[in-house]
């Protein structure tokens, strides 16, 4: 089966409990078996539900019945089953069509960063990273951690529940940076990033943080500094350094920055 989405699909789909989720300006959920809301030959499938007005831009991630997706200056959590905060109504983009539209369970407030990488979920916490390509001389957030249940640091504003981060980590080494999807293992969250020391030269690197937001963390609101960091590569502005998201396996954290690097991780 296939579907026709009148937008540019973003990133990698996620599949959980018989549903496939894809971000394409909206978050869409489809029956992975190609049975529900599907017809014709070749078979075309309509969404089981979508996110209406909300415009996610990252790959989705699913855990414990919730699908998380980010984009712009936001993080959103939706009912993966398309039940809670969902109803059949005229679609915001086409009022002549009845569709199942879901509003977020909660939204994460993401200051001073553009979220473009898929979130990671572990032990009741959802982690996101981002970039601030809009201005120089203004450090952006390399990592933000939220309560995945949407309970802690959350309040209702109007009809929407909005959550502030449990803790954050800022890029302090330079400006005009980007960072990618984090990876979590053994109580440590790893994130890679790239930044510019000035207008002409930049670097890429890796940072490791206490996933619980305890060690090397302080203040209200809480900010964390790395357990350790390393600079991977440098390059001129015409050929800025590139680095992949980290992957943790077999006692090491791996990343691609041209060469493949492996760093040891605590057991």
């Amino acid at each position: 089966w296939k579907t026709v989405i009148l937008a540019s699909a973003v990133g990698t789909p996620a599949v959980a409990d018989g549903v496939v989720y894809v971000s394409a300006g909206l978050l869409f959920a489809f029956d992975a078996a190609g049975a529900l809301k599907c017809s014709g030959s070749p078979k075309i499938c309509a969404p089981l539900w979508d996110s209406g007005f909300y415009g996610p831009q990252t790959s989705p991630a699913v855990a414990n019945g919730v699908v998380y997706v980010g984009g712009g200056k936001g993080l959103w959590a939706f009912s993966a089953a398309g039940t809670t905060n969902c109803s059949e109504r005229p679609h915001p983009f086409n009022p002549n069509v009845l569709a199942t539209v879901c509003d977020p369970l909660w939204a994460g407030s993401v200051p001073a960063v553009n979220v473009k990488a898929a979130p990671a979920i572990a032990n009741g916490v959802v982690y996101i990273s981002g970039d601030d390509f809009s201005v120089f001389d203004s450090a952006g957030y390399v990592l933000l951690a939220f309560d995945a249940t949407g309970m802690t640091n959350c309040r209702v504003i109007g009809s929407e529940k909005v959550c502030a981060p449990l803790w954050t980590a800022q890029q302090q080494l330079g400006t005009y940076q980007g960072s990618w999807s984090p990876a979590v293992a053994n109580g440590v969250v790893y994130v890679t990033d790239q930044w510019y020391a000035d207008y002409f030269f930049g670097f890429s690197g890796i940072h490791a943080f206490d996933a619980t937001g305890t060690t090397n963390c302080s203040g209200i609101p809480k900010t964390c500094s790395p357990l350790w960091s390393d600079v991977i590569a440098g390059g001129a502005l015409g050929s800025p350094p590139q680095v992949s998201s980290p992957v943790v396996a077999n006692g090491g954290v791996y990343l691609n920055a041209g060469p493949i690097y492996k760093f040891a991780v605590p057991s």
Side-chain angles (χ1 to χ4, degrees), residues 58-84:
T58 75
S59 300
V62 188
N64 301 316
V66 179
V67 53
Y68 303 90
V69 64
K73 296 186 182 296
L75 169 71
W76 297 281
F78 293 89
S79 166
T83 52
T84 305

Side-chain angles (χ1 to χ4, degrees), residues 158-251:
S159 61
E160 187 176 61
K161 179 186 281 189
V162 178
C163 299
L166 301 174
W167 58 268
T168 64
Q170 272 191 311
Q171 168 60 269
Q172 299 293 345
L173 298 177
T175 59
Y176 196 59
Q177 60 279 341
S179 56
W180 320 128
S181 296
V184 190
N186 301 317
V188 180
V189 53
Y190 304 91
V191 64
T192 52
D193 68 348
Q194 62 189 59
W195 69 93
Y196 287 90
D198 54 36
Y199 284 86
F200 305 103
F201 204 82
F203 301 90
S204 59
I206 181 172
H207 311 279
F209 296 89
D210 177 11
T212 67
T214 304
T215 304
N216 289 4
C217 301
S218 63
I220 300 175
K222 184 182 289 185
T223 59
C224 297
S225 56
L227 302 174
W228 59 264
S229 296
D230 198 6
V231 174
I232 304 303
L237 187 60
S239 55
Q242 300 293 318
V243 64
S244 71
S245 297
V247 175
V248 182
N250 304 318

